[in-house]
């Protein structure tokens, strides 16, 4: 192999526990101590990266108030970092040269600050910082304690504060005023970076005598408004005990109301809270996917919300609000048959909505004007479609009057950040992505073909088939069945360097959406809940059979591969269908759902219990669904890949499967990527992963 593949034995992952709870008639839920801004040394970089990659990506744009400049994430220096510059020029500069990957960016409405989220060491712990647009004044807003994670929310509309969600430190308990104290002792075994997965957040599921999860202690997520100048004290907006998610999505222009999102995957909920007294005035189910679920109108009398409440597909709702934030009716004002409203963005004037629709995996973009109703919720005018140069929109950002910034992807070259000005076609930013490294010059990218099939129980399925270049239409080819994560993710027709690496080795790729995937309606998403996951495993076999009959894939040279939940499906497919696949590559996958619940972050466990089963009540189901329970059926050689700092799916999930395979005489290897978590963010690691996986597939499928 072209990589340093090593097999590691799972180590003990300690959890942090607090003092025993003190009985009391009323207890405040645990919350993290309110953070204060911490000045940091200046860390701006040169106007060009020191190490310029031939292939790089630019994404997650956020514009200044007049829309002439953009802050964005770019990995042209080898790691996702914060850059900023004019949307129509080359004068961009690196604002933070530190090696910690950047994950989110938000320019303040007054133009004075750029807030962003980083992942120290490339792991799952995150923190929120801000910096001046000229690269000065860099400071840490939240997440300084390595036992916490901080998540970026929205800005106040006057730019005076930014919302941040902070996870209560591990083992925290509400004592007295309910605040965790920084003076609390840290266990001796804990270190900031010891090369192993470190549990973050509240106390994880306790581990019983047989090594399986038993009970769960309490914890929480807290949302604050923080003044980046540090002149005003943080304002607590909400605290959610044992919460899997909590995100501040918008504040009314007068600052009276806050819109937040909470809840586990598949059961998200929007709620409106009055800032003055903390009272919740309105709740409503919302769709999974993009966390920016809605916005208040300028006068605060209407809440625009992307929701699938009582619906199969998400639509745009207008919720009429009274002066105190209480609802007075809701109306569906924009919908499409058989497709989801995927992204919702409101222009700075508060009167223009941008809607991105998911149409069979591709995006269609509409701009609509809102008009005030009389005593009822607002309405929308006719939709104006915006032609797109690529198939998929990943982010839409308002950029001044009549302008938009779009992050686009697709199966063609030159994705990246584009800007739209009213009455002018979309223009590609001059600093945007380059992709020559993924597909060599002279070889056009392979464009996938949508393929439909029917599962054995009659459920319609679909997927994208990529045909390796140079093969005759009917010639059988080795084929990799690639399974996405989530499971609520969706396979999209995007420019995926991994797929093109495999295609360049003469391997076809079939990337299906098995049941549980997003983009096909609520019923399809929920079809894999609990025991329905056994049927999802049947879907993998049905998709492989379809690749053979409609691909055409060679039935003697099939492989299975996937990341996260797709990694779980890869492990599971190799033991449920041991004679179907010649090999597999499992990336950051769960091999035993009980040990996964014992080791993952607590808010992830809270969400996962709804999808897979409860670790106490459904132990037998989880054991039956676990690939480790059928390890004796394994026949095919496998490669497992994991990030060393992954606390979403701890590395022990790959380690135990590889170890068990080797004990049974099945060839198995483990590649651990240094300084990575659940997502591989560093360009050199992504390249190493792609080439190692392709080498493995090529060796075991023996393409002709």
């Amino acid at each position: 192999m072209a990589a340093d593949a090593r097999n590691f034995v799972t180590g003990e992952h300690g959890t942090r526990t607090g003092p025993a709870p003190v009985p009391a008639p009323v207890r405040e839920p645990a919350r993290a101590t309110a953070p204060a801004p911490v000045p940091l040394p200046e860390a701006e970089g040169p106007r060009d990266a020191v190490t310029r990659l031939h292939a790089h990506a630019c994404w997650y744009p956020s514009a200044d108030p007049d829309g002439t400049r953009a802050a964005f994430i770019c990995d042209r220096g080898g790691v996702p970092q914060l850059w900023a510059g004019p949307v129509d020029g080359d004068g961009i500069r690196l604002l933070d040269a530190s090696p910690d990957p950047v994950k989110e960016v938000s320019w303040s409405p007054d133009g004075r600050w750029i807030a962003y989220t980083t992942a120290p060491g490339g792991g799952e712990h995150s923190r929120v910082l801000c910096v001046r647009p000229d690269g000065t004044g860099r400071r840490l807003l939240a997440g300084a304690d390595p036992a916490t994670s901080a998540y970026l929310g929205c800005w106040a509309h006057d730019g005076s504060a930014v919302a941040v969600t902070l996870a209560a430190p591990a083992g925290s308990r509400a004592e007295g005023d309910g605040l965790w104290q920084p003076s609390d002792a840290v266990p001796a075994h804990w270190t900031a970076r010891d090369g192993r997965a470190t549990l973050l957040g509240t106390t994880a599921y306790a581990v019983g005598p047989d090594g399986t999860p038993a009970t769960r202690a309490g914890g929480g997520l807290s949302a604050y408004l923080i003044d980046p100048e540090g002149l005003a004290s943080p304002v607590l907006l909400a605290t959610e005990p044992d919460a899997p998610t909590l995100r501040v999505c918008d504040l009314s222009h007068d600052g009276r109301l806050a819109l937040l999102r909470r809840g586990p995957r598949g059961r998200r909920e929007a709620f409106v809270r009055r800032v003055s007294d903390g009272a919740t005035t309105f709740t409503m189910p919302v769709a999974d996917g993009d966390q920016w679920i809605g916005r208040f109108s300028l006068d605060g009398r209407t809440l625009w919300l992307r929701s699938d409440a009582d619906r199969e597909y998400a639509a745009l709702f207008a919720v009429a609000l009274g002066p105190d934030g209480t609802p007075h009716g809701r109306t569906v004002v924009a919908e499409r048959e058989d497709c989801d409203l995927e992204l919702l963005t409101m222009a700075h004037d508060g009167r223009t909505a941008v809607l991105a629709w998911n149409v069979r995996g591709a995006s269609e973009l509409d701009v609509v004007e809102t008009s005030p109703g009389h005593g009822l919720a607002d309405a929308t005018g006719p939709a104006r479609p915006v032609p797109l140069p690529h198939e998929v929109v990943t982010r839409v950002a308002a950029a001044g009057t009549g302008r938009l910034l779009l992050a686009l992807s697709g199966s063609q070259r030159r994705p990246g950040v584009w800007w739209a000005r009213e009455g002018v076609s979309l223009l590609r930013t001059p600093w945007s992505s380059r992709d020559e490294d993924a597909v060599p010059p002279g070889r056009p990218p392979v464009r996938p073909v949508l393929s439909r099939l029917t599962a054995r129980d009659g459920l319609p399925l679909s997927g994208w088939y990529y045909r390796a270049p140079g093969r005759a239409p009917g010639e059988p080819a080795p084929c990799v069945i690639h399974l996405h994560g989530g499971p609520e993710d969706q396979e999209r027709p995007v420019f995926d360097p991994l797929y093109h690496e495999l295609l360049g080795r003469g391997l076809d790729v079939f990337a299906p959406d098995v049941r549980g995937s997003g983009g096909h309606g609520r019923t399809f998403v929920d079809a894999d809940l609990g025991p329905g996951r056994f049927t999802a495993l049947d879907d993998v076999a049905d998709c492989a059979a379809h690749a053979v009959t409609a691909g055409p894939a060679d039935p003697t040279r099939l492989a299975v591969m996937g990341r996260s939940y797709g990694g779980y499906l890869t492990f599971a497919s190799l033991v449920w269908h041991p004679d179907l696949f010649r090999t597999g590559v499992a990336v950051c996958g769960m091999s035993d759902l009980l040990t996964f619940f014992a080791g993952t972050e607590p808010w992830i466990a809270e969400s996962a219990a709804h999808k897979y089963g409860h670790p106490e009540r459904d132990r037998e189901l989880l054991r039956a669904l676990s690939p480790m329970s059928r390890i004796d059926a394994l026949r095919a050689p496998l490669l497992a890949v994991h990030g060393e700092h992954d606390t979403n799916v701890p590395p022990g999930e790959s380690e135990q499967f590889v170890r068990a395979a080797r004990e049974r005489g099945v060839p198995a290897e483990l590649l651990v990527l240094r300084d990575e978590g659940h997502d591989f963010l560093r360009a050199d690691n992504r390249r190493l992963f792609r080439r190692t996986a392709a080498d493995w597939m090529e060796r075991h499928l023996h393409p002709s």
Side-chain angles (χ1 to χ4, degrees), residues 371-660:
S371 57
H374 300 284
L376 300 174
D378 287 7
T380 60
R384 289 178 287 137
V386 178
L388 298 173
H390 289 278
E391 291 99 324
V392 178
V393 179
T394 60
R395 181 168 168 80
V396 181
T401 303
R403 290 186 177 185
L404 297 173
L405 281 176
L406 307 175
L408 301 177
S409 188
S411 60
Q412 306 171 68
R413 288 192 183 278
R414 297 167 63 83
V417 178
W418 296 61
W419 64 289
R421 190 171 184 174
E422 192 167 357
V424 179
S425 299
L426 265 65
L427 300 174
R428 189 171 185 269
T429 55
W431 36 261
S432 209
S433 305
R434 294 181 61 185
D435 51 41
E436 287 82 358
D437 188 48
V439 179
R443 194 185 87 198
V446 174
R447 302 193 70 172
V449 175
L450 183 63
S451 186
R452 302 181 185 278
L453 66 145
T454 302
R456 63 189 66 182
D457 65 351
L459 184 69
L461 304 175
S462 64
W464 297 90
Y465 199 97
Y466 297 75
R467 183 68 166 157
R471 290 193 180 274
E475 179 186 358
C479 182
V480 178
I481 309 299
H482 190 276
L483 305 165
H484 63 66
E488 306 91 342
D489 292 349
Q490 181 186 9
E491 194 63 39
R492 314 293 292 270
V494 298
F495 189 96
D496 191 321
L498 171 64
Y499 293 176
H500 287 283
E501 185 79 44
L502 296 169
L503 292 165
R505 309 295 184 94
L507 310 175
D508 285 6
V509 176
F510 183 46
D513 286 335
V514 300
R515 69 191 66 207
S517 303
H520 303 275
R522 172 55 58 189
T523 300
F524 194 88
V525 169
D526 288 345
D528 69 340
L529 295 183
R533 202 154 313 281
F534 291 111
T535 317
L537 292 173
D538 290 337
D539 288 349
V540 177
D542 294 341
C543 290
H546 179 75
V548 171
T549 58
D554 184 342
T556 67
R557 291 185 291 172
L558 294 176
V560 62
M561 180 180 183
R563 194 189 74 82
S564 191
Y565 175 71
Y568 159 79
L569 285 179
T570 298
F571 283 139
S573 297
L574 292 175
V575 296
W576 256 269
H577 312 295
D579 299 320
L580 182 58
F581 298 106
R582 182 175 286 191
T583 189
V585 177
V587 185
C588 300
M590 305 93 76
S591 62
D592 187 320
L593 293 177
L594 290 171
T595 58
F596 160 71
F597 273 106
T600 188
E601 298 182 35
W603 47 90
I604 293 175
E606 192 76 24
S607 271
H610 164 71
K611 295 297 295 184
Y612 305 123
H614 194 278
E616 297 173 25
R617 298 189 297 269
D618 303 313
R619 291 167 63 88
E620 291 308 312
L621 172 63
L622 294 178
R623 184 175 286 111
L625 286 168
S626 295
M628 285 295 293
S629 67
R630 300 173 64 98
I631 189 66
D632 288 338
L634 182 67
R635 301 288 183 269
L638 74 124
L639 169 67
V641 184
H642 228 106
E644 66 166 332
H645 298 308
D646 189 351
T647 56
N648 183 324
V649 177
E653 293 299 305
S654 288
E655 294 163 9
Q656 64 190 3
F657 198 89
V658 168
R659 183 172 58 243

